[in-house]
Amino acid sequence: MSLLRTIADGLRSLFRKERVEEQLDEELCGFLEMAAEEKMKHGMTRKDALRAVRLERGSLAVTKEVVRSAGWESFVETLLSDTRHALRRLRMAPAFTSATVLTLALGIGATTSIFTLVHAVLLKSLPVANPGELYRLGKESRCCYQGGYSQEKEFSLVSYDLYKYLRNNTKGFSELAAFPSLELLLGLRRAGSPEAAQGYPGEFVSGNYFSMFGIRAYAGRALTDADDQPNAPPVVVMSYRLWRQKYGSGPSVIGSVFDIDGKPFTVVGITPPGFFGDSLRSSPPDLFLPLNTEPYVQSDADLNKVDTHWLQLIGRIQLGANPASIEAEMRVELKQWLRSHWSDMSANDRARFPEQTLYLTPGGAGITAMREQYEHWLLILMMVSGFALLIVCANVANLMLVRGMERRRQISLSMALGAQTSRILRQPLTESLLLSLFGGAASLAVAFACTLLILRFAFPAFAGFASVPISASPSKPVLLFAFVVSLLTGIAFGVGPAWMATRVDPVEALHGSSRSTAREGSLPRKTLVVVQAALSLVLLSAAGLLTAALQRLENQDLGFVQDRRIVASMDPRLAGYRSDQLPALYQRIHDSIASIPGVSSVALCQYSPVGYGWGAGIWVDGHPAPGPKDDDSAAWDRVSAGYLDVIGTPIVRGRGISEEDTASSRRVAVINEAFARKFFQNEDPIGKHFGTEADNSRKYELVGVAKDARYLTLDKPDGAFFFLPEAQADYSQTNLGSLFLHDIVILTRPGARLSDAQVRQVMASVDPSLPIISIRTLQEKVATQLTQQQLIAHLTSLFGVLSLVLASIGLYGITAYNVGRRTGEIGLRMALGASRGQVVRLVLRGAFLLIAFGLILGIPLSLATSRVLSSQLYGLNPYDAVPIAIAVAVLGFFGLIATLVPAHQASSISAAEALRSE
Amino acid sequence: MADKPSDLVQGTLDMLILKTLALEPMHGYGIAVRLEQMSKGVFRLNAGSLFVAFQRLQRAGLIRGEWKATENSRRAKYYALTDQGRKRLTSETREWGRQVAAIARILEA
């Protein structure tokens, strides 16, 4: 009640100020009059009486001020008046205001845009119901497949059989859903439509996937457990995006039959617009199919392989259930399940049985492979933009200091007249906060544009695919972040200068001489310039180091040749090919493309560099069987004849895969040098035999050794790697995924040009229904591996240039200011015979002293930063002095330019004129 | 000596004003004079403290003001206790008595 009255009364004072003032005035006057009358009754004159009352009771003006400032509204009032005042002052200095707001917008905008990404990738939960109730299996996300009955560190992928066992026996989950870890491309076309199937990302999910997430269909219905049965009619749920973009949100889609990899499916529903599946990835799935349709679609089905672990699990726990006890329960179940397969386990699996365990971790963010991949990049970028923001703060603080100088006389006057320090402090502070808030508001536009740019660069969109589900438009947390950063920035650059402004001696400042304060206040400005120079050096050398690392990655010997190579990607599965049809298809593709004019040679492979490879365990003939702790792994690729020549990997010994390797000749393999080192230390590998299973160690005869190359990743040379001839593959095996070759590598003749259209046309003549996923030069394909590095290097360079410009402006500002103030001194020196050169040197010495301090501070900081960077990045040499030396040179050069201008001005001062100005 | 409100025991000024108004509505100067008379000149209050207290008590709903003519036919704002103010006075007086008695006991012990 009384709170309400306090507020109402305060509001009345605010809005009906004059009337309230009048009444207070009248009441107080009456009070003082009555007191004076009392005194006059005792014989005082009116004048004396009034004077006595003022002394005894306080003056009218002071009392009014005391009463007025007692209410809460006075605080608001001061705030409003301070704001009005600050706005007026800012309007009066449009150049200063716009320059400051722009600088701040850049600094805050850059930081906010990085935060937008940090928020989306590192902090955000999936857009599903109550993400806090979700838990997933595994501490780290693991990809693809794990075979056998043991997994290193933790059991994080499970087979369908194990999934069913866990799902049926764990009571703590209200739903436990499963889906594969591997991203999958599915060929989709409306049944009966004449067009070729088009590839879209799809995912097999357990029937309770949508109910586990609490996601209802936008139209039609979601998948249910009834759909996920071995003999259920095949149905599919389509993403909202695909439905809208490809089929114009047509209602007829629901209930229609579509061919997926050549198999008919009925579309039963559409996912809601914001839903992007179980993980943040660059191309979210457009098709959700029941797990049990996997054998129907995939010829090499994994569903019923008890020891092929390929599914990830996310579950929603029962209300009030304890995740730790669910985890304990599941560990027991895992052991029970493993025990029940004891007879199928290999000796090594049995040996590893005791340490088999699993972990349950919060799953509200889904499968966080992207988070793990981008985490350190984003943190580096956050650090870089933070440095840039600090430089911006230093620059604006410098400008504020100059403003403070200009107001010294006004402030000393106010203080001489008795103004409170706090009140004087508030004014420049209000100004800083207003500036930073304006800057913050403007930064939202900068952040939006910047985020859009980064997203486009980091996640290049494939035509027809969904783009990465990260929105550049600011969300509530991002707005809050920008607001808080603006406030902090305002305080950071505002408090110092504001405090400095009040440190004036009223008497001294009022003397009005410009000389009396000449030296004061320049120390903080110099410090700021030093800090700016140091931070710029850090950013410049970081940019240099990152760029050098990137160039090293780009120019290193990859072990294959990028020049004149074109890679066309396809997937025969999308067109519904069976494995026995493949050899003829590959032959037709090879012959048709080889006949294009300008093509020198062509070969097919599962995966061309750089990217994927399959893994296998190696059993060398004549060597002891690998033990439980032995690393017997090697990567491999299935390639057609002449592949190593086409891709340009030299053969060190023996021969490559060639035409003489046919289905009827002896089974051969070509290994790389790392394979030879790993398995044949001192032996000659040529003529030796190895296999990939215990009972077939004589399966392949080694006929050649290829040079080490970087097929899997650019960061480091591949480990053990071997090549198998496509012609010797066992096409009678209907469920072997490795039979499907994905890449066609084309070597063109020198000077010849091969257009995409030519390749597509030839491929269409082979089979019009076979979709071509992409056609790229090998250079482009390799470059996509470097987009992250490029992005980081470019952004850091951008921030480095920005900071260099700001630091130069700061240096120019303080040098010009000092020159202006020392006009008299310089004139005197020149009158006493100093040459122009000496004057220039005098000015330069002052400026370079600042730069030198900046370097002294900046070089150790740069070294520390490069240590941090190198711990995060491969290929970055923290002891590489060249980038730091270049950064020092660049900073010195720009510092020289920034100071030469005022130095030149100083030297052209006429001695007589300068002395007269005193 | 005790001419400043800060020398009053914290919060007692409000209670004294309420007590003064318990008999009849009074204007600001009247209250000041009455307080001085009753304290035999110990409490001489300046206008600032008094008027801040009036504003505070008004906002708390313990007194209410009304413009009226004085005996000298001058216009003045008369303050009167509200029902709430009367209740507060009773409770504060009782509390004050309790505290004084307690302090006295401690000092005499």
Side-chain angles (χ1 to χ4, degrees):
Chain A
M1 224 12 223
S2 84
L3 181 70
L4 275 181
R5 210 190 324 263
T6 306
I7 292 171
D9 215 45
L11 286 177
R12 204 164 58 89
S13 319
L14 270 182
F15 291 109
R16 302 180 54 201
K17 203 170 154 191
E18 278 155 41
R19 173 134 178 70
V20 171
E21 291 254 303
E22 247 172 53
Q23 290 199 354
L24 181 62
D25 237 24
E26 189 180 349
E27 199 183 347
L28 273 173
C29 276
F31 179 90
L32 297 175
E33 280 286 331
M34 283 187 236
E37 272 168 26
E38 191 72 32
K39 300 228 181 265
M40 281 154 73
K41 273 187 204 154
H42 296 292
M44 270 194 192
T45 64
R46 183 173 164 76
K47 198 178 160 200
D48 287 345
L50 281 176
R51 199 177 127 76
V53 166
R54 243 197 325 273
L55 281 175
E56 236 167 64
R57 307 278 183 187
S59 75
L60 180 66
V62 169
T63 310
K64 260 165 67 176
E65 186 58 38
V66 168
V67 175
R68 207 169 341 159
S69 59
W72 62 267
E73 68 275 10
S74 74
F75 174 75
V76 176
E77 217 176 310
T78 342
L79 204 69
L80 284 177
S81 90
D82 276 349
T83 309
R84 262 197 304 273
H85 190 69
L87 280 176
R88 195 164 53 233
R89 286 177 39 81
L90 290 178
R91 250 203 319 275
M92 271 154 47
F96 164 80
T97 307
S98 43
T100 313
V101 168
L102 192 71
T103 317
L104 286 169
L106 285 177
I108 301 173
T111 315
T112 306
S113 97
I114 304 296
F115 179 77
T116 309
L117 299 177
V118 167
H119 174 246
V121 177
L122 302 186
L123 307 175
K124 220 168 153 182
S125 293
L126 293 175
V128 299
N130 303 328
E133 292 172 8
L134 301 182
Y135 282 83
R136 71 174 171 115
L137 181 68
K139 287 197 286 198
E140 276 171 37
S141 49
R142 190 173 254 169
C143 175
C144 315
Y145 297 95
Q146 292 281 324
Y149 292 94
S150 62
Q151 285 178 28
E152 221 179 298
K153 289 188 201 139
E154 55 166 341
F155 231 91
S156 55
L157 291 177
V158 301
S159 66
Y160 185 57
D161 190 64
L162 177 52
Y163 160 59
K164 282 190 292 188
Y165 188 79
L166 292 172
R167 178 180 171 176
N168 295 337
N169 291 292
T170 318
K171 285 164 220 72
F173 285 113
S174 61
E175 292 289 357
L176 182 63
F179 45 90
S181 69
L182 199 64
E183 291 180 33
L184 183 71
L185 208 57
L186 294 169
L188 175 81
R189 64 171 184 170
R190 220 183 246 262
S193 139
E195 59 169 351
Q198 221 176 326
Y200 293 103
E203 187 163 73
F204 292 106
V205 299
S206 58
N208 59 355
Y209 182 81
F210 289 98
S211 59
M212 183 275 294
F213 277 130
I215 291 288
R216 254 184 260 154
Y218 176 78
R221 66 174 178 85
L223 296 178
T224 63
D225 279 327
D227 297 320
D228 191 18
Q229 302 297 330
N231 293 314
V235 296
V236 59
V237 166
M238 189 183 277
S239 76
Y240 176 82
R241 181 205 73 87
L242 185 62
W243 181 53
R244 206 192 49 172
Q245 283 179 8
K246 171 96 179 163
Y247 300 104
S249 305
S252 71
V253 168
I254 298 160
S256 294
V257 176
F258 283 74
D259 288 342
I260 295 177
D261 283 8
K263 308 290 191 309
F265 274 81
T266 308
V267 173
V268 291
I270 307 294
T271 62
F275 183 71
F276 54 79
D278 46 74
S279 42
L280 187 64
R281 46 170 86 144
S282 51
S283 299
D286 283 316
L287 301 166
F288 295 90
L289 295 74
L291 265 179
N292 270 286
T293 60
E294 197 246 6
Y296 171 62
V297 179
Q298 306 275 69
S299 51
D300 56 334
D302 299 302
L303 190 73
N304 298 316
K305 294 179 192 161
V306 174
D307 62 346
T308 295
H309 306 287
W310 58 301
L311 298 171
Q312 303 177 108
L313 304 182
I314 290 189
R316 185 177 291 279
I317 60 168
Q318 302 267 20
L319 213 61
N322 176 8
S325 58
I326 299 177
E327 185 182 69
E329 196 183 342
M330 287 173 78
R331 282 179 183 163
V332 174
E333 287 157 15
L334 172 67
K335 287 283 169 85
Q336 285 168 345
W337 183 82
L338 288 173
R339 278 226 173 269
S340 70
H341 292 280
W342 196 256
S343 55
D344 307 325
M345 285 165 76
S346 68
N348 284 347
D349 282 339
R350 287 179 192 169
R352 296 188 197 113
F353 174 79
E355 70 241 32
Q356 294 307 304
T357 186
L358 55 75
Y359 297 93
L360 214 53
T361 54
I367 302 302
T368 48
M370 196 176 208
R371 178 177 298 188
E372 288 154 29
Q373 187 187 356
Y374 284 89
E375 199 162 20
H376 60 273
W377 294 107
L378 285 171
L379 294 179
I380 290 174
L381 278 181
M382 204 71 214
M383 200 163 81
V384 165
S385 63
F387 270 117
L389 188 60
L390 274 181
I391 292 174
V392 164
C393 279
N395 218 308
V396 176
N398 222 331
L399 290 174
M400 294 299 290
L401 275 176
V402 177
R403 263 174 91 70
M405 294 296 189
E406 288 163 3
R407 293 177 55 205
R408 283 175 83 86
R409 293 197 55 183
Q410 185 204 329
I411 288 169
S412 34
L413 191 67
S414 315
M415 289 188 73
L417 292 177
Q420 287 170 304
T421 314
S422 67
R423 189 74 203 262
I424 290 182
L425 200 65
R426 255 197 327 240
Q427 270 177 27
L429 210 55
T430 314
E431 220 169 274
S432 321
L433 285 178
L434 276 177
L435 280 172
S436 67
L437 287 179
F438 286 149
S443 81
L444 291 179
V446 176
F448 179 73
C450 202
T451 313
L452 221 54
L453 213 67
I454 295 176
L455 285 179
R456 183 160 303 170
F457 200 84
F459 306 104
F462 283 103
F465 275 32
S467 52
V468 67
I470 297 176
S471 164
S473 40
S475 58
K476 245 181 269 167
V478 169
L479 284 175
L480 188 71
F481 175 86
F483 178 70
V484 171
V485 167
S486 307
L487 276 187
L488 289 179
T489 312
I491 292 168
F493 72 71
V495 163
W499 186 75
M500 296 278 311
T502 61
R503 306 288 299 162
V504 290
D505 179 355
V507 182
E508 197 186 339
L510 281 180
H511 284 319
S513 160
S514 61
R515 251 196 315 185
S516 61
T517 58
R519 292 280 164 193
E520 254 174 71
S522 77
L523 185 66
R525 294 196 58 198
K526 284 178 177 167
T527 314
L528 284 174
V529 169
V530 167
V531 169
Q532 271 181 306
L535 291 177
S536 306
L537 186 72
V538 172
L539 283 187
L540 284 174
S541 48
L545 283 165
L546 287 167
T547 310
L550 178 66
Q551 275 173 351
R552 252 197 300 279
L553 279 179
E554 278 171 342
N555 298 330
Q556 67 191 340
D557 180 14
L558 298 175
F560 58 90
V561 185
Q562 299 178 56
D563 205 26
R564 295 194 284 129
R565 268 77 176 175
I566 293 170
V567 178
S569 297
M570 59 168 184
D571 192 342
R573 268 188 288 205
L574 306 195
Y577 273 85
R578 291 191 318 273
S579 55
D580 58 331
Q581 302 169 304
L582 292 173
L585 174 71
Y586 298 152
Q587 197 59 49
R588 278 210 309 282
I589 291 173
H590 177 274
D591 296 349
S592 312
I593 290 184
S595 68
I596 304 175
V599 170
S600 163
S601 54
V602 60
L604 284 77
C605 59
Q606 267 191 82
Y607 300 107
S608 65
V610 176
Y612 304 101
W614 285 49
I618 302 299
W619 296 71
V620 180
D621 184 39
H623 288 198
K629 302 283 178 203
D630 287 349
D631 176 16
D632 62 344
S633 66
W636 67 279
D637 198 1
R638 199 188 294 282
V639 302
S640 69
Y643 173 76
L644 289 164
D645 293 331
V646 172
I647 201 83
T649 299
I651 301 296
V652 187
R653 280 178 55 73
R655 64 172 177 89
I657 306 289
S658 72
E659 299 287 352
E660 63 185 275
D661 304 314
T662 63
S664 53
S665 68
R666 65 198 165 121
R667 299 277 179 268
V668 301
V670 172
I671 60 172
N672 69 348
E673 294 168 300
F675 191 110
R677 280 195 301 276
K678 184 168 177 177
F679 295 102
F680 298 100
Q681 290 90 0
N682 301 316
E683 301 169 68
D684 179 6
I686 304 293
K688 295 278 186 326
H689 290 79
F690 74 90
T692 53
E693 274 153 55
D695 51 356
N696 68 357
S697 64
R698 287 192 63 81
K699 189 168 181 184
Y700 306 113
E701 182 180 332
L702 261 158
V703 294
V705 180
K707 195 166 178 286
D708 277 338
R710 301 179 188 220
Y711 280 37
L712 299 176
T713 151
L714 293 178
D715 291 355
K716 50 180 190 291
D718 299 330
F721 201 105
F722 63 100
F723 303 88
L724 297 178
E726 169 268 320
Q728 294 182 343
D730 183 1
Y731 287 103
S732 65
Q733 278 187 283
T734 53
N735 58 351
L736 202 58
S738 68
L739 296 176
F740 292 86
L741 305 188
H742 293 106
D743 289 350
I744 307 160
V745 183
I746 307 164
L747 172 62
T748 57
R749 289 182 199 286
R753 284 189 52 81
L754 189 63
S755 72
D756 288 5
Q758 276 173 292
V759 177
R760 283 185 193 279
Q761 199 185 344
V762 167
M763 288 300 290
S765 76
V766 172
D767 178 357
S769 70
L770 181 64
I772 296 295
I773 296 159
S774 67
I775 300 176
R776 288 180 289 181
T777 64
L778 192 52
Q779 266 136 346
E780 286 167 344
K781 196 174 175 218
V782 170
T784 56
Q785 294 288 314
L786 291 170
T787 43
Q788 284 183 36
Q789 273 101 329
Q790 278 170 338
L791 183 67
I792 304 289
H794 291 173
L795 280 177
T796 311
S797 304
L798 197 73
F799 284 125
V801 169
L802 182 74
S803 67
L804 181 66
V805 170
L806 289 177
S808 305
I809 291 175
L811 190 64
Y812 167 79
I814 189 152
T815 315
Y817 184 75
N818 284 342
V819 165
R821 255 184 359 197
R822 293 169 73 180
T823 306
E825 179 201 332
I826 292 168
L828 195 63
R829 281 171 189 270
M830 290 180 79
L832 293 175
S835 71
R836 281 175 194 279
Q838 280 170 320
V839 171
V840 169
R841 270 201 295 281
L842 178 77
V843 176
L844 287 188
R845 196 165 56 223
F848 268 86
L849 208 60
L850 296 183
I851 297 183
F853 275 122
L855 295 184
I856 289 171
L857 198 66
I859 290 176
L861 254 179
S862 304
L863 288 174
T865 312
S866 62
R867 292 292 294 280
V868 173
L869 286 179
S870 69
S871 68
Q872 304 279 3
L873 296 181
Y874 172 80
L876 191 144
N877 178 4
Y879 304 105
D880 189 353
V882 177
I884 296 186
I886 292 178
V888 169
V890 167
L891 192 64
F893 176 70
F894 276 83
L896 183 68
I897 290 184
T899 46
L900 264 183
V901 179
H904 177 72
Q905 277 167 357
S907 71
S908 51
I909 290 171
S910 128
E913 223 171 90
L915 287 175
R916 213 176 297 135
S917 80
E918 268 295 282
Chain B
M1 175 191 134
D3 60 348
K4 282 182 282 176
S6 57
D7 290 334
L8 281 171
V9 178
Q10 197 79 104
T12 46
L13 176 61
D14 289 8
M15 185 174 68
L16 295 182
I17 292 172
L18 292 180
K19 173 71 187 167
T20 317
L21 294 177
L23 289 177
E24 52 174 350
M26 297 179 97
H27 53 63
Y29 184 66
I31 295 171
V33 171
R34 175 67 61 85
L35 279 174
E36 274 169 42
Q37 284 171 356
M38 296 207 308
S39 69
K40 300 208 169 26
V42 173
F43 297 145
R44 172 151 296 191
L45 295 158
N46 69 26
S49 338
L50 264 181
F51 279 81
V52 170
F54 292 159
Q55 184 177 326
R56 188 167 56 231
L57 289 168
Q58 247 178 313
R59 286 188 178 179
L62 302 178
I63 62 175
R64 96 183 135 244
E66 201 183 343
W67 287 93
K68 274 194 214 156
T70 66
E71 55 266 41
N72 303 343
S73 64
R74 178 196 290 281
R75 238 166 71 87
K77 195 171 182 181
Y78 276 76
Y79 292 102
L81 274 192
T82 62
D83 289 345
Q84 217 184 327
R86 210 169 287 283
K87 266 183 234 152
R88 174 68 65 87
L89 177 61
T90 325
S91 69
E92 289 217 349
T93 313
R94 196 182 318 121
E95 179 62 17
W96 177 252
R98 235 164 51 81
Q99 286 186 5
V100 168
I103 291 167
R105 275 198 299 277
I106 292 168
L107 291 180
E108 281 158 16

